[in-house]
Amino acid sequence: MEELVIRDADVVDGSGDPWYRADVVVDRGRIVSIVKEAADAGCQRPEARRELDAEGLVLSPGFIDMHAHSDLALLRDPDHSAKAAQGVTLEVLGQDGLSYAPVDDRTLKEVRRAVAGWNGHGDDIDFDWRTVGEYLDRLDRGIAVNAAYLIPQGTVRALAVGWEDRAATPEELDRMRRLVAEGMEQGAVGMSSGLTYTPGMYAEDAELTELCRVVARYGGYYCPHHRSYGAGALEAYAEMVALAREAGCSLHLAHATMNFGVNEGRAPELLSLLDEALAAGADITLDTYPYTPGSTTLAALLPSWASEGGPEETLRRLADDGTAARIRHDLEVIGADGCHGVPVDWDTIEISGVGDPALTGYVGRRLDGWTTARHLLLADRLASSILQHVGHEENVRTIMRHPAHTGGSDGILQGAKPHPRAYGTFPRYLGTYVRELGVLSLEECVAHLTSRPASRLRLPDRGLVKEGYRADLVLFDPRTVSPGSTFENPRRLPTGIPHVLIDGRFVIEHGERTDVLAGRAVRRSPMQRNAQRP
């Protein structure tokens, strides 16, 4: 007898097709049968050792977070309710070009410092890996939800070239190509870039194209945080589209927003650019979060020249009065590349977290100018995280309607007052943008959060409620599902999601986190026969 039957569920199967009523049987981590309209058909209803009454609940595939920053959180926090309670069953890590593999001892130390505002310093983590494969093996010991990994191009550049603003030598480029190939062979699903973050932003398009050619040979995709989301945003999107097409590589645009005042109402221009490329045969998808403010580190706003050489050089420049004055001019007058070419409006910058507990009093405060920002950068040694209140609601709604759209939280879990998207992205889509605003139908929205990302990741047995597919499933109440998190209380868990299963095992049961660690590393499919190491 099978393990579980989910009885009388309203199945929204992830395909975008209309919902239907069914009994769904799960056994050994798979969906083994679906009996539609079982209660009304007069047929023999399926039996199992356990029965779950799903009357009034929607059963959907587990949600896939296409842009997550849980690289260390999954290791330090076995509970990880921030994502599990949302119905997330798979996260894509290694985002924005900076993460913790592949590294050597030097690069690991530098990267830990550079992204402390995203993930903490990592003093509580045993970094017992150096390669992509070793990191995935570490995840395989048991984590709250599944995780896939993108090779971080900035980390690769730091390892092969360093943190200098210069072109790679032929030998360094060869090493980067080998590192990307090795990461793909070890199970990465693609490569990310953070082209407003050092050192990844120092790479010219020709260098990025060469690395993308390697990714393409393994059937992976390129996921850039491109060079500007503010002034020049459309040009930056066009640059990535052209680069990916030149490399013959699939493209997934990270947190594809149109922020800052210069882009208000310009989302249709972005979608027109993408539609033209799609019509010409390009393979493009994108992700967004359903909020207006952005979130990053305070140090990320600095001009790239101020960060050349790594974190210690950045701190040295900030400590020098003359250099600090030049940084301020770039930020406030010119518009630094780290701030997307837009002169910074300090009133839009809210401190969301600090690394030094002595600075906790800054959390939740808007910055009153450069003097305070400089003090905090130095005192917190670049570890402060921020919210940047620069988005436009109509742009958010317009982009999420696009057929190439998927959901991604961009959730930074670090800090005392993180962005509520870390805890609320997926229930906010369902509660606010489906039930309350009607921006998407329920069936459309679930497809955006399940089958579309599964297709981008080339997962052959996830993203649909379908016989033979993995039993990564969510049961939610469409009448009550809602994010609990707010900007004032960002760590509240959602409501209306009573059950979440991963591999057929309950990680959320009756609204409570179980002790199950069903998550594992999700590796890309085996290397294609025509893939060759460069």
Side-chain angles (χ1 to χ4, degrees):
M1 182 176 287
E2 283 79 13
E3 296 171 2
L4 172 68
V5 57
I6 302 171
R7 187 82 74 198
D8 292 325
D10 295 337
V11 178
V12 178
D13 67 6
S15 68
D17 292 340
W19 69 273
Y20 57 86
R21 181 69 57 86
D23 291 352
V24 177
V25 181
V26 172
D27 191 59
R28 288 177 291 182
R30 300 273 176 178
I31 300 168
V32 296
S33 69
I34 300 172
V35 182
K36 295 184 179 181
E37 304 294 345
D40 301 325
C43 60
Q44 180 68 37
R45 303 193 72 177
E47 300 292 335
R49 289 194 295 273
R50 178 178 176 184
E51 178 178 315
L52 177 64
D53 181 5
E55 179 71 33
L57 297 178
V58 168
L59 175 67
S60 81
F63 305 136
I64 298 176
D65 188 342
M66 285 296 289
H67 193 106
H69 289 284
S70 303
D71 307 50
L72 299 186
L74 278 166
L75 301 178
R76 68 161 57 96
D77 178 20
D79 181 82
H80 202 51
S81 287
K83 294 300 179 68
Q86 293 186 61
V88 171
T89 58
L90 171 60
E91 299 184 88
V92 184
L93 313 177
Q95 300 286 349
D96 295 331
L98 287 168
S99 189
Y100 306 94
V103 293
D104 56 14
D105 291 349
R106 169 190 63 82
T107 307
L108 176 61
K109 180 180 179 180
E110 294 165 345
V111 169
R112 287 176 61 184
R113 172 69 62 81
V115 294
W118 294 353
N119 300 312
H121 290 290
D123 295 336
D124 55 340
I125 301 294
D126 178 11
F127 288 90
D128 59 352
W129 69 85
R130 292 296 180 269
T131 69
V132 170
E134 289 167 351
Y135 176 68
L136 297 179
D137 288 344
R138 175 69 178 275
L139 298 178
D140 271 339
R141 297 180 196 173
I143 48 180
V145 305
N146 296 310
Y149 190 73
L150 294 164
I151 302 163
Q153 170 260 329
T155 300
V156 168
R157 197 172 211 273
L159 181 56
V161 180
W163 296 74
E164 292 76 35
D165 184 1
R166 63 172 176 82
T169 66
E171 293 77 18
E172 290 166 341
L173 181 56
D174 282 345
R175 186 181 182 197
M176 285 190 283
R177 293 171 72 246
R178 288 195 300 272
L179 288 167
V180 172
E182 289 166 1
M184 294 299 296
E185 290 173 1
Q186 292 164 8
V189 295
M191 181 181 75
S192 75
S193 283
L195 300 180
T196 65
Y197 300 125
T198 58
M201 68 191 307
Y202 299 140
E204 298 293 336
D205 284 1
E207 177 181 313
L208 296 171
T209 300
E210 285 301 307
L211 300 184
C212 284
R213 286 193 172 108
V214 177
V215 173
R217 285 204 294 271
Y218 289 90
Y221 68 92
Y222 181 43
C223 180
H225 164 128
H226 52 273
R227 298 191 192 273
S228 175
Y229 290 82
L234 287 173
E235 292 81 0
Y237 280 113
E239 175 192 7
M240 294 298 100
V241 170
L243 187 155
R245 296 194 69 184
E246 172 68 21
C249 190
S250 300
L251 177 66
H252 181 84
L253 296 167
H255 38 59
T257 58
M258 291 290 286
N259 286 338
F260 301 91
V262 294
N263 290 318
E264 185 172 2
R266 300 189 71 189
E269 296 177 59
L270 167 62
L271 300 184
S272 178
L273 167 69
L274 300 183
D275 285 339
E276 182 179 344
L278 287 164
D283 180 10
I284 301 174
T285 50
L286 56 92
D287 65 68
T288 68
Y289 46 84
Y291 297 85
T292 50
S295 178
T296 185
T297 62
L298 182 58
L301 305 183
L302 299 174
S304 57
W305 63 263
S307 299
E308 185 179 2
E312 290 301 326
E313 283 299 301
T314 305
L315 290 166
R316 182 187 64 77
R317 293 184 182 103
L318 286 164
D320 179 78
D321 289 343
T323 309
R326 182 184 167 199
I327 294 171
R328 178 179 187 175
H329 180 78
D330 279 13
L331 279 167
E332 297 182 344
V333 179
I334 297 175
D337 47 7
C339 196
H340 307 278
V342 177
V344 68
D345 177 358
W346 293 114
D347 190 53
T348 68
I349 308 300
E350 177 185 357
I351 302 301
S352 60
V354 293
D356 184 347
L359 300 169
T360 299
Y362 285 94
V363 174
R365 287 172 49 182
R366 301 287 182 111
L367 290 180
D368 56 9
W370 166 247
T371 300
T372 303
R374 180 191 179 194
H375 166 72
L376 195 53
L377 285 162
L378 287 166
D380 208 24
R381 296 186 64 80
L382 311 181
S384 303
S385 54
I386 64 169
L387 303 183
Q388 194 167 14
H389 296 268
V390 294
H392 303 285
E393 178 64 22
E394 188 53 41
N395 282 349
V396 171
R397 298 186 192 188
T398 299
I399 293 170
M400 74 169 64
R401 294 187 185 103
H402 195 273
H405 171 266
T406 66
S409 71
D410 196 12
I412 295 174
L413 299 166
Q414 189 70 19
K417 196 172 181 285
H419 197 303
R421 68 193 186 194
Y423 284 72
T425 285
F426 295 87
R428 182 169 167 84
Y429 269 119
L430 297 167
T432 301
Y433 289 94
V434 173
R435 184 181 64 243
E436 296 176 9
L437 299 175
V439 175
L440 295 168
S441 72
L442 180 58
E443 289 87 350
E444 288 174 321
C445 186
V446 169
H448 285 233
L449 307 181
T450 60
S451 64
R452 291 183 186 177
S455 177
R456 164 52 69 219
L457 295 168
R458 300 192 178 183
L459 303 177
D461 56 357
R462 301 177 196 263
L464 293 171
V465 178
K466 185 176 180 179
E467 291 180 358
Y469 272 51
R470 290 184 179 272
D472 294 352
L473 301 168
V474 181
L475 285 140
F476 63 89
D477 187 338
R479 300 160 298 184
T480 63
V481 61
S482 180
S485 61
T486 64
F487 286 98
E488 292 73 28
N489 296 285
R491 295 188 187 276
R492 283 182 183 165
L493 297 179
T495 57
I497 306 178
H499 303 288
V500 180
L501 295 87
I502 295 178
D503 204 32
R505 302 166 67 192
F506 284 90
V507 296
I508 301 290
E509 188 171 12
H510 300 296
E512 299 293 331
R513 178 72 172 94
T514 71
D515 61 0
V516 169
L517 294 177
R520 296 293 185 270
V522 175
R523 293 167 169 82
R524 53 171 291 281
S525 299
M527 186 176 63
Q528 297 176 8
R529 291 183 179 179
N530 62 345
Q532 298 177 359
R533 290 176 58 117

